[in-house]
């Protein structure tokens, strides 16, 4: 599939609706641009992470206290 769009003032452009629908793109999704050694541009779309997406990523085997940890960091101590 080959589609084209125009670059507008401020270097803005639109993602064609066929691509938005096929990839289920929404407002606030992220576009990552990659330029390879041959000068070819590749793009990837990814969803913006929200709080629910990152809950549990940094679990520890013990209980933590965010307020105490912040105070230690402010004093220059290791949490």
């Amino acid at each position: 599939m080959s589609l084209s769009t125009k670059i507008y003032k401020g270097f803005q452009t639109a993602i064609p609706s066929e691509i938005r629908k096929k990839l289920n793109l929404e407002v606030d999704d992220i576009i990552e641009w990659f330029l390879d050694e041959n000068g070819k541009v590749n793009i990837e779309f990814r969803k913006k992470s929200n709080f629910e997406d990152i809950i549990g990523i940094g679990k520890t085997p013990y209980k933590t206290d965010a307020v105490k940890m912040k105070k230690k960091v402010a004093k220059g101590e290791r949490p």
Side-chain angles (χ1 to χ4, degrees):
M1 173 178 9
S2 176
L3 301 167
S4 61
T5 58
K6 177 181 174 182
I7 298 175
Y8 296 97
K9 187 177 181 178
F11 296 95
Q12 295 179 338
T13 191
I15 301 168
S17 64
E18 294 91 343
I19 293 175
R20 288 194 317 266
K21 290 174 186 173
K22 185 168 181 118
L23 299 177
N24 193 28
L25 298 177
E26 300 172 343
V27 173
D28 288 334
D29 285 350
I30 307 296
I31 302 173
E32 294 179 322
W33 299 78
F34 303 94
L35 184 61
D36 70 16
E37 61 277 352
N38 298 321
K40 183 175 179 178
V41 175
N42 295 297
I43 61 172
E44 292 183 12
F45 299 94
R46 65 178 171 87
K47 299 290 182 187
K48 183 177 180 180
S49 298
N50 59 35
F51 185 71
E52 287 78 24
D53 296 332
I54 61 173
I55 291 176
I57 288 177
K59 287 189 177 186
T60 62
Y62 51 87
K63 289 198 163 248
T64 59
D65 184 329
V67 174
K68 287 181 182 177
M69 291 173 72
K70 187 175 180 181
K71 287 178 181 179
K72 284 184 175 185
V73 170
K75 291 180 184 178
E77 300 174 12
R78 290 194 73 193

